[in-house]
Amino acid sequence: MRRALELAAKAEHRTSPNPMVGAVVLDKEGRVAGEGFHQRAGEAHAERIALEAAGGRARGGTLYVTLEPCSHQGRTPPCVDAVIAAHVARVIVALEDPDRRVQGAGVSALRAVGIPVEVGVEAARASRLNEFYVKHRTAGLPFVTAKFAMSLDGKIATAGGESRWISGDVARAEAHRMRRAHDAILVGVNTVLKDDPELTARGEAGARQPLRVVVDSTLKTPTTARVAGPNTLIATTSAASKKQTALLTQAHADVQTLPAAGGGVDLAALLESLAARGILSVLAEGGGEVLGDLFDRGLVDKVVAFIAPAVIGGRGAPVAVTGHGVEVLAKATRLAEVEVQRMGADIMVSGYVQRHR
């Protein structure tokens, strides 16, 4: 199963909105007969690739697969049909598919024709591998990663607004890898006005580009901004002018009016809207107000912070997270499964948000 998980990870989230799946077929003697992984949405699923590679050696053998085989017709035929036709003797599944169209139906279909199925082998690893997919299917919301780069004293720019570059080349390369992995990048309009970012994923030829999402309650995004174009969603409120809406729409940006909350765009409503579009994951890159609102409302799932060995200082220098914050430390956002890695001269600290009970 660990080999199947390694294979699944090779997709590097290019399968979205599908999960990443790997499969290994062993013959009767327990030798590897075939293996494969789902590479992109719309292409062959892992089970079919592995079974085709195994050919006749799959008969009487064992199929290891990281996610329950699908039993419904999508862009590709149901995988359970291929598994049954291959006459394997048993199937080992890491994780039951949380998609309501499956949720045990694939396992039941195999057992109904007499194929023994074991579920739960390396389930924790399989769930972590597909954490974006699992969150989307179980909560109806995208998985949200809050990412920021800051100095040792928590500043994301100088008092004069200079922010390029706080982190070094290695950290920035990792940040672009994260962009390639996520379906959408989220920033506030102040970031657009100050930095005029492209919000693209670089570092890999032909990289999948995430949807660029700008939170802009009064529609201050200029039509000359580098994000004002295709593959951009500008989330606004009824306070936006019709004229600016028309201009940005003419620039081929998608302007969406959402409910307001706390004086700005209701971020929970925005995430629900993104989930409905098939967005499994969002990389929230700031600024401080957007990240603060996400933390205040308990919408963050994971935090990745790049810390540079520098002290910026300055009373007016912006910090990574603002918002309302907490009044007592007992209510502070705490992280679990914390990892610390060197990124050149910088340090990357990552962890998962612990939900308050």
Side-chain angles (χ1 to χ4, degrees):
M1 186 61 77
R2 290 184 179 179
R3 173 56 181 165
L5 288 166
E6 289 177 359
L7 289 167
K10 289 184 176 183
E12 296 182 330
H13 299 280
R14 288 186 292 268
T15 57
S16 186
N18 291 350
M20 296 182 289
V21 182
V24 176
V25 178
L26 302 185
D27 63 17
K28 292 179 181 179
E29 285 71 41
R31 297 171 299 196
V32 174
E35 59 181 32
F37 66 96
H38 182 40
Q39 298 185 27
R40 287 180 178 80
E43 296 186 5
H45 287 191
E47 301 95 316
R48 289 182 174 273
I49 295 172
L51 290 168
E52 184 175 338
R57 295 175 63 195
R59 180 181 288 271
T62 302
L63 169 67
Y64 286 81
V65 62
T66 59
L67 190 72
E68 174 185 9
C70 61
S71 56
H72 63 283
Q73 177 71 47
R75 295 168 68 178
T76 57
C79 288
V80 291
D81 294 349
V83 176
I84 293 169
H87 299 288
V88 297
R90 64 176 185 149
V91 176
I92 312 297
V93 175
L95 187 70
E96 183 179 288
D97 194 332
D99 191 305
R100 59 180 176 80
R101 296 171 297 178
V102 187
Q103 289 183 323
V107 170
S108 296
L110 295 174
R111 287 173 174 164
V113 297
I115 300 176
V117 182
E118 181 180 351
V119 181
V121 176
E122 298 286 358
R125 291 191 181 192
S127 181
R128 181 63 76 214
L129 175 71
N130 276 307
E131 58 192 5
F132 298 168
Y133 176 79
V134 171
K135 170 72 183 296
H136 183 271
R137 293 301 195 271
T138 57
L141 291 171
F143 185 98
V144 177
T145 304
K147 189 272 288 184
F148 47 88
M150 66 182 189
S151 60
L152 283 173
D153 55 335
K155 308 297 186 181
I156 60 172
T158 66
E162 184 183 355
S163 61
R164 295 184 179 179
W165 297 104
I166 288 177
S167 57
D169 292 343
V170 177
R172 291 201 299 277
E174 174 63 15
H176 279 285
R177 187 202 65 78
M178 292 175 64
R179 285 184 174 186
R180 295 194 297 271
H182 287 74
D183 291 341
I185 302 175
L186 176 70
V187 300
V189 66
N190 288 335
T191 297
V192 172
L193 295 175
K194 291 177 182 177
D195 300 335
D196 192 21
E198 289 185 80
L199 299 182
T200 55
R202 298 185 289 278
E204 181 182 278
R208 180 177 74 109
Q209 292 299 324
L211 176 69
R212 303 179 295 184
V213 181
V214 179
V215 180
D216 185 358
S217 60
T218 58
L219 220 52
K220 294 185 290 186
T221 301
T223 56
T224 55
R226 290 195 284 182
V227 296
N231 198 37
T232 293
L233 169 66
I234 302 177
T236 191
T237 67
S238 58
S241 75
K242 292 182 179 179
K243 179 180 178 180
Q244 187 65 2
T245 298
L247 289 173
L248 287 167
T249 301
Q250 289 172 13
H252 304 293
D254 182 2
V255 180
Q256 182 177 11
T257 301
L258 293 166
V265 174
D266 185 336
L267 294 185
L270 171 58
L271 292 178
E272 290 175 2
S273 175
L274 291 173
R277 290 171 173 246
I279 297 295
L280 305 188
S281 57
V282 173
L283 182 64
E285 295 195 350
E289 288 295 328
V290 168
L291 290 179
D293 196 8
L294 288 170
F295 278 108
D296 286 344
R297 304 192 64 180
L299 298 172
V300 176
D301 296 292
K302 185 176 183 179
V303 177
V304 178
F306 296 96
I307 305 172
V311 174
I312 293 175
R315 292 186 182 88
V319 297
V321 181
T322 57
H324 295 298
V326 299
E327 295 182 0
V328 294
L329 284 176
K331 293 185 178 181
T333 300
R334 301 284 181 176
L335 303 183
E337 300 179 53
V338 176
E339 295 184 3
V340 180
Q341 296 176 250
R342 287 292 298 269
M343 290 282 164
D346 306 315
I347 296 172
M348 183 177 77
V349 179
S350 63
Y352 293 87
V353 171
Q354 290 183 312
R355 301 299 180 197
H356 293 294
R357 296 185 180 277

